[in-house]
Amino acid sequence: MTVLIPNPAKELTVSKAENLKSLVENPLHRRDFAKKMAAGALGIAGVAALPGAVNLVAQSLTDVDILNFALNLEYLEGEFYSVATTGQRLADAGVGITGKGRAGATTG
């Protein structure tokens, strides 16, 4: 039994242009890609066609959830600019941040 061990020093190197050209000119790769994409699309369509799939896909987001998300983005932006300009976090600068949810430390 012969085991081949690849040697990086002796391997054939192909330029990016040659590799791209071979991918474009070889219809077998494109055909395989198209088949895989079609199979994936059919799989997704099949799952969506199952009874009760609408309930699985639909999310129950309320207006409060959307507003909390927007508020979190504003806090994130404020924290970023505060650290970038002054080197202090919002809590260190005396800005009171309270609310419900999980509070995490800002690191970086």
Side-chain angles (χ1 to χ4, degrees):
M1 179 174 168
T2 304
V3 177
L4 297 175
I5 300 174
N7 186 355
K10 292 184 179 181
E11 286 185 11
L12 178 65
T13 58
V14 178
S15 71
K16 289 181 183 178
E18 290 172 349
N19 193 15
L20 182 61
K21 184 178 177 182
S22 72
L23 287 173
V24 170
E25 291 177 351
N26 191 350
L28 190 59
H29 288 288
R30 289 182 288 177
R31 189 173 297 130
D32 287 341
F33 176 76
K35 285 180 183 177
K36 289 178 183 177
M37 290 301 293
L42 287 174
I44 291 172
V47 169
L50 293 174
V54 175
N55 293 336
L56 295 175
V57 176
Q59 296 180 356
S60 58
L61 292 177
T62 64
D63 290 340
V64 174
D65 293 330
I66 295 169
L67 292 174
N68 276 330
F69 180 75
L71 182 61
N72 281 332
L73 288 179
E74 292 297 325
Y75 280 135
L76 178 65
E77 181 183 6
E79 187 84 18
F80 173 78
Y81 286 119
S82 177
V83 171
T85 57
T86 65
Q88 291 182 333
R89 295 177 48 228
L90 289 176
D92 298 337
V95 177
I97 301 174
T98 60
K100 68 179 193 175
R102 292 180 288 153
T106 303
T107 60

